[in-house]
Structures are given as structure tokens and as C-alpha cells.
């Protein structure tokens, strides 16, 4: 029965639709408003499919009216045509290929009323807006969010690209290093022309070129116990792109003090790991970095990339995972890596997950534990047993 109904719904070309429009037909664009913001067939009326189905007589009072329906590619308009036909409308057709075909055939398009800023928003984030988990409200939430990215190197580069592209409104990059040529095989936010430039300034230039609608703070400083509270001010999520243990412990402690989630990653040679530490907001439920590593390993067992080397693509994989976790936390969707450590081996391309539990005796995140204050993290990591 459904197949027979489908067969009675004609599809017409965009050229024929334009001709029938000039002869008195009504053309309805059934896409969502954010989709129509990118351009509509000239003469079309915008009525979202759900609105049309909820009250067809309100929008189309005459059952014998010549009605043409258009969407992005033709599927939703065909569904709308079948719905209207079943509701008693006698002259209904769907535009084959939708607005995509209309545009390809260079038929007249119009831009719906709205500011240039609104048009940029709907066009730039159109694929996000289609996701029920994001939508317009979620994208506006991302616009209002602030993320601290500690490090504009191997992890901060790919993560920064995707956070900027996703429309996170304010990115605060902190790094006191300058770009070296040896960075370029993995720190993809920088170019050869950036050598000698502060990494945060190089990152700011590239990311604003990608998305000029966001704000990027470039802070060419080393994060320390003296300035970490100021760097954390107003931040919703912290992304750890550091490459040494003192900074990781400092960030962990600061995030617990400020009740801010920390998205962690570490890489070495061909291996990486990613997790989310959210003990500041979930005392006794979520672990912190110290629950995983109460004491740092001796320096000889934890070489950095300059000493051990790293596959160039590896930080890209870890950084993209970090960016994904940041977006999930900001939007409040999905299941973050809180209480889970995701490890991966790029040589065998295997991933494995380890469950992490909070340490009830943790010196920093245990329930009821007052914040003990910042310590000399360099001394702690160089001689952890002292």
C-alpha cells in the first residue's frame, strides 16, 4: 500500500518547478530554518516539515492547490508530499534533487532575512545544527564557552583546530615556547614561516584564519603556581596539552580547586592515553590524576618527545580524542572518559580501556579534604619520595 502511494507522488525537475511556480503553484521549503539560512529557491516559502505536518490546513487551506515541495536533496520533500497526499491534497509534487539540484542548475536563489552574523552561524555550523544532541541551543552554548588549552604543541595543535572549527567561543592558549623546525612534523597548527614565533601567537593566527568568529587569548607564559588561578578564571574545561609531569600535577590540583573538568592526554613514541579527570566536581566518585599517579615516575622512565621521539601522527589522534571529550563536556552529552583511561598502540592500532577509581585517601581530591595548596611541582617530580 505504501509503495502504491509513493508511486502516485510525482517528482519534477527544478526547471519545471520554477515554471509551475510562475504559473501559480506554491513552493514549500520543508527544511529547518538553519538549513534555509544558506539559501532558498526564489519564491519558496519556508515551513519546516514538522510544522507542516502538525497543521497542514493552516499553511495550505485549499486541498486542490498546486503544491510543490523542496528540501535539501529530495527525501524529506517526498515524505512531505506523501503526507499531504494522504491528507487529501490532490496536486502535490516533490522537487527531485532538492535545493542541491536547484543550485547546481543555477536557478535563482534568495537569502532569507537575517544578519550576516546569523547567516554565518547557520552556514558554518550547519552540520552541528542537524544533530539533535547539539542543535541551535547547543551551538550557542559552545559560543558562550571558554576552554583553557595548556600547550600549543603536539596535542594543543589538533585539539585547537577542532575546538575552533566547532565554534567554542573563547580559547585561552598558554605556552611560553617558540616554534622550532623540529616541531613541525607533529605540531600542525604551525607553519615553516612560524619558526621563531611564540607558539601561542602562531596558533592564534592560524585558528582565527579558520574561524574568525571566535576569540583566542594568546598567553606567552609558563603556567606556574603563581599564575594558574588567573589562567583558570572563567574557564569551563581545561585541556592538558603539556609534556611534563610538573605541569600535569599543577593542572590537576588547580582543576580540583576550581571544580573544573580536566581532559588529559599523554603520548610517547607510538603509544598514547586519554582520560577525563573530574574529581573537583565529583568528589569520591570520579578520580583525579593523582589517583592514577600518586607519585611521578623517575625521569629516566618518563622521557619526553625530544628524548624518546614520537610518530608525527600520534598526537593528532590523541588531540582529536581530547577535543571530542571537551565538546561532550561543554554540551553535556554522551559518556565522557571520566573514570576511564583509554590507551592506544598505534603500531598495532589497538585500543584498550582501564577503569579508574577514586583514591579515598587522595591528598587532594578525597571527600572532605581541604585544598592543601600548591607545592613546588618541579621538586616533587624530581624527587617524589622526599
Amino acid at each position: 500500500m505504501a509503495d502504491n502511494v509513493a508511486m502516485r507522488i510525482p517528482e519534477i525537475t527544478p526547471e519545471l518547478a520554477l515554471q509551475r511556480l510562475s504559473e501559480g503553484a506554491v513552493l514549500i521549503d520543508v527544511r529547518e530554518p538553519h538549513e534555509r539560512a544558506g539559501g532558498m529557491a526564489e519564491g519558496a516559502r519556508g515551513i519546516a516539515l514538522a510544522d507542516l505536518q502538525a497543521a497542514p490546513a493552516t499553511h495550505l487551506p485549499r486541498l486542490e492547490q498546486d503544491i510543490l515541495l523542496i528540501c535539501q536533496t529530495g527525501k524529506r520533500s517526498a515524505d512531505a508530499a506523501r503526507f499531504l497526499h494522504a491528507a487529501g491534497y490532490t496536486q502535490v509534487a516533490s522537487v527531485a534533487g532538492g535545493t542541491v539540484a536547484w543550485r547546481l542548475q543555477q536557478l535563482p536563489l534568495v537569502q532569507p532575512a537575517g544578519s550576516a552574523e546569523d547567516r554565518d552561524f547557520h552556514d558554518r555550523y550547519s552540520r552541528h545544527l542537524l544533530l539533535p544532541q547539539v542543535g541551535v541551543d547547543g551551538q550557542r552554548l559552545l559560543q558562550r564557552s571558554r576552554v583553557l588549552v595548556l600547550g600549543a604543541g603536539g596535542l594543543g595543535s589538533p585539539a585547537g583546530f577542532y575546538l575552533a572549527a566547532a565554534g567554542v567561543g573563547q580559547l585561552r592558549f598558554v605556552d611560553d615556547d617558540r616554534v622550532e623546525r623540529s616541531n613541525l612534523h607533529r605540531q600542525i597548527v604551525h607553519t615553516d614561516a612560524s619558526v621563531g614565533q611564540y607558539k601561542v601567537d602562531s596558533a592564534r593566527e592560524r585558528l582565527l584564519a579558520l574561524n574568525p568568529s571566535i576569540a583566542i587569548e594568546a598567553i606567552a607564559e609558563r603556567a606556574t603556581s603563581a599564575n594558574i588561578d588567573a589562567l583558570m578564571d572563567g574557564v569551563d574545561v581545561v585541556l592538558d596539552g603539556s609534556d611534563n609531569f610538573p605541569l600535569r600535577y599543577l593542572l590537576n590540583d588547580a582543576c580540583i580547586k576550581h571544580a573544573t573538568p580536566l581532559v588529559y592526554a599523554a603520548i610517547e613514541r607510538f603509544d598514547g592515553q586519554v582520560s577525563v579527570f573530574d574529581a573537583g566536581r565529583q568528589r569520591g566518585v570520579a578520580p583525579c590524576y593523582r589517583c592514577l599517579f600518586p607519585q611521578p615516575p623517575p625521569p629516566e622512565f618518563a622521557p619526553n618527545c625530544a628524548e624518546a621521539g614520537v610518530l608525527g601522527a600520534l598526537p593528532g589522534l590523541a588531540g582529536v580524542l581530547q577535543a571530542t571529550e571537551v565538546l561532550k563536556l561543554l554540551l553535556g552529552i554522551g559518556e565522557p572518559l571520566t573514570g576511564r583511561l583509554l590507551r592506544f598502540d598505534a603500531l598495532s592500532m589497538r585500543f584498550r580501556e582501564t577503569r579508574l577509581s577514586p583514591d579515598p585517601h587522595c591528598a587532594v581530591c578525597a571527600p572532605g579534604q581541604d585544598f592543601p595548596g600548591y607545592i613546588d611541582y618541579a621538586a616533587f617530580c624530581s624527587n617524589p619520595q622526599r
Side-chain angles (χ1 to χ4, degrees):
M1 185 63 154
D3 290 340
N4 292 335
V5 172
M7 291 176 62
R8 292 199 297 270
I9 302 300
E11 285 192 325
I12 62 173
T13 64
E15 295 95 331
L16 183 55
L18 184 61
Q19 178 184 329
R20 285 174 57 174
L21 185 62
S22 69
E23 296 169 351
V26 59
L27 178 62
I28 306 295
D29 189 328
V30 298
R31 296 177 298 165
E32 296 296 318
H34 64 264
E35 297 177 273
R36 299 195 298 267
M40 295 172 58
E42 188 175 66
R45 291 166 51 191
I47 306 173
L49 178 57
D51 295 334
L52 180 63
Q53 291 176 330
T58 300
H59 304 289
L60 301 167
R62 294 190 294 117
L63 293 177
E64 73 280 4
Q65 189 170 13
D66 188 7
I67 301 168
L68 311 177
L69 299 137
I70 189 169
C71 63
Q72 189 74 3
T73 60
K75 183 181 183 303
R76 278 176 287 175
S77 59
D79 291 341
R82 280 189 281 273
F83 170 83
L84 292 177
H85 184 275
Y89 290 86
T90 57
Q91 296 190 64
V92 183
S94 172
V95 178
T99 309
V100 171
W102 189 286
R103 188 185 299 273
L104 286 174
Q105 293 171 28
Q106 300 183 343
L107 299 180
L109 290 162
V110 295
Q111 199 77 39
S115 67
E117 181 181 353
D118 285 339
R119 289 195 295 272
D120 178 82
F121 175 86
H122 287 100
D123 195 24
R124 183 181 297 273
Y125 306 119
S126 61
R127 301 307 187 267
H128 264 186
L129 303 181
L130 291 171
L131 296 171
Q133 298 88 341
V134 183
V136 173
D137 290 342
Q139 193 61 50
R140 294 296 186 192
L141 177 60
L142 291 180
Q143 279 191 320
R144 298 191 298 270
S145 298
R146 179 184 283 120
V147 175
L148 171 63
V149 182
L150 200 294
L155 297 169
S157 290
F161 265 124
Y162 277 100
L163 294 177
V168 174
Q170 297 183 64
L171 297 175
R172 179 179 293 164
F173 277 87
V174 179
D175 196 319
D176 68 337
D177 283 347
R178 295 180 182 269
V179 179
E180 299 177 1
R181 192 157 280 110
S182 62
N183 301 146
L184 301 181
H185 95 299
R186 67 195 182 282
Q187 299 182 18
I188 58 172
V189 76
H190 310 301
T191 67
D192 196 70
S194 305
V195 172
Q197 189 177 11
Y198 277 116
K199 288 182 179 180
V200 291
D201 292 333
S202 171
R204 183 176 186 277
E205 289 176 11
R206 292 288 301 282
L207 298 183
L208 287 179
L210 173 66
N211 189 349
S213 67
I214 65 173
I216 298 180
E217 298 176 72
I219 302 177
E221 299 177 10
R222 179 180 295 275
T224 67
S225 300
N227 65 7
I228 190 62
D229 288 332
L231 297 176
M232 294 279 298
D233 182 48
V235 166
D236 299 297
V237 178
V238 175
L239 187 145
D240 179 6
S242 64
D243 62 356
N244 63 80
F245 283 99
L247 273 178
R248 289 172 187 158
Y249 282 101
L250 171 63
L251 274 184
N252 176 79
D253 295 358
C255 284
I256 293 171
K257 177 181 178 181
H258 291 269
T260 304
L262 172 66
V263 180
Y264 155 81
I267 54 172
E268 180 187 333
R269 296 189 175 100
F270 300 96
D271 301 323
Q273 55 189 29
V274 182
S275 188
V276 172
F277 298 113
D278 203 2
R281 299 191 304 178
Q282 303 181 59
R283 293 284 185 119
V285 176
C288 76
Y289 181 75
R290 286 179 180 268
C291 298
L292 177 61
F293 297 113
Q295 302 288 338
E300 62 270 20
F301 292 110
N304 58 30
C305 292
E307 298 165 334
V310 63
L311 183 69
L314 189 73
L317 178 57
V320 167
L321 291 172
Q322 283 185 288
T324 303
E325 292 300 303
V326 169
L327 294 176
K328 286 161 55 183
L329 288 164
L330 293 175
L331 292 166
I333 62 174
E335 183 184 355
L337 279 171
T338 307
R340 296 181 290 149
L341 181 68
L342 183 65
R343 294 172 171 162
F344 54 91
D345 175 356
L347 282 181
S348 62
M349 200 48 74
R350 287 192 173 91
F351 289 74
R352 58 194 177 102
E353 182 181 296
T354 303
R355 288 283 175 176
L356 304 177
S357 300
D359 179 358
H361 305 294
C362 179
V364 178
C365 80
Q369 172 69 51
D370 292 332
F371 183 67
Y374 300 120
I375 63 173
D376 185 335
Y377 293 94
F380 171 65
C381 293
S382 63
N383 187 9
Q385 302 302 323
R386 188 173 60 189

